[in-house]
Amino acid sequence: MKDLSATELNDYLKNNQPLLLDVREQWEWDKCHFKNSTLLPMGQIMSNIEQLDKTQETVVICHHGIRSMQVARYFDSIGFECIINLQGGIDAWAKKIDNSMIAY
């Protein structure tokens, strides 16, 4: 598991296409989200874990990076092979990379 800042992830995404897994709630997703990301709220992960590929590179995203860190650690503990946590979450992304994204 590794952590990437918004700037590091932006650079990383130029040459890589991981699964962008957003673990926020639907109302948060409705405000803003990454294009081509998948919404799976943190509270629904356990009941949907079989839908995820443990071998697929996955970037876990939330609002400020706390929930995503918890999910990333969990994924790491159950054998996911390549997990990336977005430090600072979508809030950092909106402030540093895409200021057209709604910050909340």
Side-chain angles (χ1 to χ4, degrees):
M1 187 189 89
K2 61 184 168 182
D3 291 305
L4 293 180
S5 69
T7 304
E8 291 168 330
L9 181 61
N10 187 47
D11 291 341
Y12 187 76
L13 292 176
K14 291 175 184 172
N15 298 312
N16 298 279
Q17 295 181 332
L19 170 66
L20 300 175
L21 186 67
D22 195 321
V23 297
R24 296 175 302 146
E25 297 298 319
Q26 181 72 53
W27 69 268
E28 294 175 287
W29 165 272
D30 292 342
K31 287 187 178 288
C32 64
H33 59 272
F34 280 80
K35 183 181 177 183
N36 300 322
S37 61
T38 299
L39 176 65
L40 182 57
M42 185 177 180
Q44 297 176 22
I45 287 176
M46 295 297 287
S47 60
N48 291 285
I49 196 76
E50 72 282 346
Q51 294 178 13
L52 301 173
D53 180 354
K54 289 183 177 185
T55 65
Q56 183 176 17
E57 183 177 44
T58 302
V59 176
V60 188
I61 303 161
C62 71
H63 188 201
H64 288 117
I66 306 301
R67 287 175 281 179
S68 59
M69 175 59 79
Q70 293 172 333
V71 171
R73 285 181 180 159
Y74 171 69
F75 285 168
D76 192 50
S77 76
I78 62 169
F80 277 67
E81 294 177 14
C82 187
I83 300 298
I84 299 168
N85 177 56
L86 172 57
Q87 291 177 331
I90 205 159
D91 184 65
W93 186 270
K95 290 176 180 172
K96 296 179 180 174
I97 305 300
D98 183 359
N99 58 8
S100 71
M101 191 176 276
I102 296 172
Y104 65 100

